[in-house]
Amino acid sequence: MRHGYTGIPRWALGIAAVGALFVLLPLAAMAARVDWPHLLPLLSSEASLTALGLSLRTAAASTVLCLLFGVPLALVLARTSFRGQRLLRSFVLLPLVLPPVVGGIALLYTFGRQGLLGRSLEIAGVQIAFSTTAVVLAQTFVALPFLVVSLEGALRSAGSRYEAVAATLGARPGTVLRRVTLPLVLPGLASGAVLSFARSLGEFGATLTFAGSLQGVTRTLPLEIYLQRETDADAAVALSLLLVAVAVIVVGLSYRGPSPAGGDSGPVAGSRTGRTTGRISGVRREAP
Amino acid sequence: MNRLRRAAALLAAGALALGTGACAGPGNGSGGRTLTVFAAASLKAPFTELARDFEAGHPGTTVTLSFAGSADLATQLSQGAPADVFASADAKNMAKVLDAGLVEGTPRNFASNVLALAVPPANPADIASFADLARPGVRVVVCAAQVPCGAAARTVQAAAGVTLKPVSEESSVTDVLGKVTSGEADAGLVYVTDVRSAGSKVKEIPFPESAAAVNRYPIAALKNGREADLADAFTAEVTGDRGQKILAGAGFGKP
């Protein structure tokens, strides 16, 4: 973008405007429907506050799980190469394109009472169905790919030259990861985490299918909106606005930082093997 | 560049053709008539059969059925969705459409439905009565109070003097049934017609308290419809002998 050339055909501008309107207009239409004088009472009802609190707590827990599993997954996908890696990547990214309700059904047959693992868990005294844990699992399932995609992209863009330097200087893989790799991809990691949080916050289909809907336990904000819509359209619109506001803040946060993929350090072919082949000549010594 | 432009034009033309094609609707070109019926989700089986009957009795007519929750349908209608007939699962949502000035004539009740207790075929929690649902450790799933089946569940609880502690309050009766058929819940409060349509996947436990909450289904022709006489004929068929027989077969009670 910053390379100076900004000439785009005029027709692209027109179509871009239509595309932007297509997204903005429904949001504006919804904002126009908000019962502004009663917005605060609608938002501060007990059911709304409980749902918001539950949503924030479960989304935070899911983000932690995404980081826990997503960072190693992204490392394996970006820094190693093995047979079946492409297949693994496809499967990890599958929830991105899967309808959430399908994810919910899959989780049900895994962690449900009659499920693959659920039966053993039940015997062990762990009940996942209809619990807040089920909500967190559903959210993690749909949000994990966001973290993996962001982080893998950042890792590939950053290349492995600094890591190779650190390794030749005697740092062990754990140290390299902690002192070089992670600090280097921190912006990508942060934006991945924020996106995962946002996706968790908006999770609906898998939660409804897998976790159920009970105030304070499993009824997150999207489920509350879905239910309020039946009787109180004003409350549903007010809560929707709240979710839009949270989403705008989250997206704003995740795209504010300098993009790690920007500039000219695109994915360098062959740099993955840098650690062993020692392509370190010309690399600045002061690795971050 | 040229090729790209041609591809884009082709794409746009295709999208337009698709869009206008969909707007024209089926049947209009061949001179046939189309009757659009919006019906509550619980009416799916009997209304599908009724529509087939109706088409046979009115050659050249196609009945298009749209099934969804009554509240969803009422919202769609008040937002201008084109339909000739509306069959609601409760009086409340029919009243919404009536208040919006969309109903032609007066709605007529054509069926009733009561709650039933559905348990997995093996009945793992040994449920034998409504009171058993309140036993500790029994996982009961009901509808949320905001939807008709949830309101009925409340009425039944009051009549039975039993307060349930459900593990989930779903927003539709299908979701409740799903939790029972998948074995996640020990019992679920659904409609008697849902138990009937689920067949051997659930077992019904009868309970006398269900008579406390009888849900009545009204049907009405709509003003915005284009086929007024067909709409009247269809409502007459639903409320007539043939329609009542089909509805009774699906487990619905008399209006």
Side-chain angles (χ1 to χ4, degrees):
Chain A
M1 281 297 159
R2 301 222 178 104
H3 299 314
Y5 179 70
T6 53
I8 56 168
R10 207 168 296 165
W11 57 262
L13 283 176
I15 298 178
V18 173
L21 264 182
F22 181 65
V23 176
L24 286 174
L25 206 58
L27 291 178
M30 196 180 74
R33 275 300 177 95
V34 172
D35 185 3
W36 294 102
H38 299 110
L39 186 63
L40 265 184
L42 283 173
L43 289 181
S44 59
S45 76
E46 196 212 331
S48 306
L49 288 180
T50 312
L52 177 65
L54 182 70
S55 270
L56 292 176
R57 272 185 290 131
T58 51
S62 305
T63 309
V64 170
L65 282 182
C66 284
L67 284 170
L68 204 65
F69 295 113
V71 172
L73 260 174
L75 278 171
V76 167
L77 290 176
R79 287 286 187 266
T80 65
S81 80
F82 54 89
R83 218 182 227 286
Q85 191 181 26
R86 288 177 70 163
L87 200 68
L88 174 70
R89 182 182 293 112
S90 309
F91 275 114
V92 169
L93 301 190
L94 203 56
L96 270 184
V97 289
L98 215 57
V101 63
V102 176
I105 291 174
L107 285 169
L108 195 63
Y109 288 128
T110 313
F111 296 103
R113 256 172 133 182
Q114 316 287 325
L116 204 61
L117 304 175
R119 217 176 302 215
S120 322
L121 287 169
E122 186 102 340
I123 292 166
V126 181
Q127 297 187 346
I128 290 182
F130 305 120
S131 70
T132 308
T133 312
V135 178
V136 175
L137 287 180
Q139 291 176 348
T140 308
F141 184 80
V142 296
L144 188 60
F146 284 84
L147 191 111
V148 176
V149 166
S150 302
L151 189 57
E152 195 197 345
L155 282 168
R156 286 184 181 280
S157 306
S160 54
R161 282 167 291 180
Y162 292 119
E163 292 162 18
V165 173
T168 51
L169 293 177
R172 272 181 299 203
T175 316
V176 175
L177 176 67
R178 203 160 26 95
R179 305 279 298 271
V180 180
T181 314
L182 287 183
L184 208 56
V185 296
L186 203 57
L189 186 63
S191 84
V194 171
L195 281 176
S196 300
F197 182 80
R199 182 65 188 89
S200 300
L201 210 55
E203 213 305 301
F204 172 74
T207 309
L208 191 70
T209 321
F210 172 52
S213 173
L214 190 67
Q215 188 178 337
V217 183
T218 49
R219 189 175 295 152
T220 53
L221 207 46
L223 269 71
E224 178 71 27
I225 292 174
Y226 188 63
L227 188 60
Q228 287 294 347
R229 195 188 48 111
E230 295 277 348
T231 47
D232 190 350
D234 286 340
V237 170
L239 287 173
S240 303
L241 191 77
L242 182 66
L243 262 191
V244 171
V246 174
V248 167
I249 293 171
V250 161
V251 173
L253 277 180
S254 68
Y255 286 113
R256 208 179 44 180
S259 165
D264 47 9
S265 61
V268 183
S271 68
R272 260 184 290 162
T273 52
R275 185 153 68 193
T276 44
T277 52
R279 293 175 51 193
I280 49 173
S281 54
V283 172
R284 282 176 301 159
R285 272 296 161 93
E286 65 276 23
Chain B
M1 202 61 227
N2 224 339
R3 198 187 296 167
L4 188 76
R5 191 176 302 168
R6 210 176 313 146
L10 214 69
L11 207 72
L16 271 176
L18 267 175
T20 48
C23 285
N28 276 12
S30 58
R33 299 165 73 186
T34 302
L35 181 76
T36 307
V37 177
F38 275 24
S42 46
L43 294 167
K44 190 165 185 181
F47 265 46
T48 308
E49 194 181 340
L50 264 163
R52 215 176 299 136
D53 268 26
F54 191 79
E55 284 172 353
H58 297 76
T61 302
T62 310
V63 180
T64 308
L65 295 162
S66 173
F67 296 109
S70 301
D72 279 337
L73 292 174
T75 309
Q76 287 173 20
L77 287 172
S78 47
Q79 297 289 333
D84 300 291
V85 176
F86 176 43
S88 167
D90 64 346
K92 206 177 73 185
N93 285 301
M94 181 57 88
K96 276 192 220 163
V97 179
L98 201 60
D99 290 345
L102 298 171
V103 168
E104 182 77 54
T106 34
R108 288 177 66 187
N109 288 338
F110 66 94
S112 64
N113 213 348
V114 291
L115 290 184
L117 205 46
V119 299
N123 196 358
D126 275 328
I127 306 291
S129 70
F130 192 76
D132 283 348
L133 298 181
R135 276 200 325 242
V138 174
R139 295 193 211 179
V140 189
V141 177
V142 300
C143 286
Q146 284 89 337
V147 291
C149 59
R154 283 212 168 166
T155 312
V156 167
Q157 287 181 60
V162 174
T163 308
L164 301 181
K165 278 212 171 60
V167 290
S168 183
E169 296 171 350
E170 306 285 338
S171 41
S172 85
V173 72
T174 356
D175 287 333
V176 176
L177 195 67
K179 298 287 190 294
V180 178
T181 51
S182 65
E184 291 303 302
D186 295 321
L189 271 177
V190 296
Y191 287 119
V192 95
T193 51
D194 299 312
V195 176
R196 205 63 70 83
S197 64
S200 61
K201 280 180 278 182
V202 297
K203 194 174 144 191
E204 182 185 351
I205 308 291
F207 66 105
E209 294 89 343
S210 68
V214 180
N215 215 29
R216 293 199 161 73
Y217 286 56
I219 190 168
L222 299 171
K223 276 187 181 146
N224 291 345
R226 267 178 280 174
E227 304 284 358
D229 52 327
L230 277 181
D232 287 339
F234 188 80
T235 52
E237 173 125 348
V238 171
T239 48
D241 288 342
R242 177 79 187 131
Q244 292 299 301
K245 208 167 149 193
I246 292 175
L247 286 161
F252 285 96
K254 292 218 173 315

